[in-house]
Amino acid sequence: MNSTIVKLGLDYPDLTGVLPQVEAAFSLLRDAFATDRKLLTCGNGGSAADADHIVGELVKGFLLRRPLPASAQAALIDAHGESGRYMADHLQGGLPAIALTAHTALATAFANDVAPDLVFAQQVQAYGQPGDVLLALSTSGNSANVLHAVRLAHSRGVRTIGLTGASGGQLAPLCDVAICVPYTETPRIQERHLPIYHALCIALEAHFFGPTP
């Protein structure tokens, strides 16, 4: 098991029971990013903030600086001189991830003009490609817009990870990997989702940007 995920269990003993699912989620994401696929995230309310948070940890450096490869730095400098050097010195390696919660104009237009419970599904229809991953957060496991997004993902060949609570709701059986934290109250569920997705982001960053063993 990945060392970061082992540490998650040590830091949060109440999550020991879901560590195999966290490891499975890591493997799914690792394989997707390794083949130039992307991650889509979605959720409502506090889970929408989590969906944005996850993307923020993946697209830029989290615990590591992630300098661009030397060849990419040289290409920028050769093409753009001092401006290129500035970019080369400051840009970071990123993993491709999109929060479906962040597109306010699209979401409000689609909700108003078409169907509010299909906003996330519409974005999966537009963005999702075979081999991509959708990470769907729902504390109840029963959020209609999240469920529709997961259903649409399967029709597009997009793999799915669910982060939810103890019951799993309708979400868990729909997902390729379901991480059901052992709580039933929304605040407690959200408090455990954060260390789980932080562990996933740390493990992915170490895999793709850490020192070569």
Side-chain angles (χ1 to χ4, degrees), residues 65-86:
R65 183 176 176 271
R66 305 190 197 176
L68 295 182
S71 59
Q73 293 186 42
L76 283 170
I77 295 167
D78 289 345
H80 304 292
E82 286 306 308
S83 293
R85 186 178 302 280
Y86 174 78

Side-chain angles (χ1 to χ4, degrees), residues 51-172:
D52 276 351
H53 189 162
I54 292 164
V55 168
E57 311 296 25
L58 293 173
V59 174
K60 59 173 284 298
F62 185 17
L63 298 185
L64 303 178
R65 183 176 176 271
R66 305 190 197 176
L68 295 182
S71 59
Q73 293 186 42
L76 283 170
I77 295 167
D78 289 345
H80 304 292
E82 286 306 308
S83 293
R85 186 178 302 280
Y86 174 78
M87 290 189 286
D89 288 344
H90 292 86
L91 290 176
Q92 302 175 337
L95 296 170
I98 300 170
L100 304 183
T101 53
H103 305 153
T104 306
L106 167 64
T108 54
F110 195 86
N112 185 66
D113 300 342
V114 187
D117 60 342
L118 294 178
V119 167
F120 295 146
Q122 177 61 37
Q123 292 178 86
V124 176
Q125 173 65 28
Y127 298 135
Q129 297 294 326
D132 288 346
V133 179
L134 172 67
L135 196 164
L137 299 100
S138 172
T139 58
S140 68
N142 295 315
S143 302
N145 54 1
V146 171
L147 296 173
H148 286 316
V150 172
R151 295 181 184 113
L152 196 286
H154 285 296
S155 75
R156 299 282 293 171
V158 174
R159 305 297 299 278
T160 54
I161 299 168
L163 262 178
T164 185
S167 75
Q170 299 174 63
L171 179 63

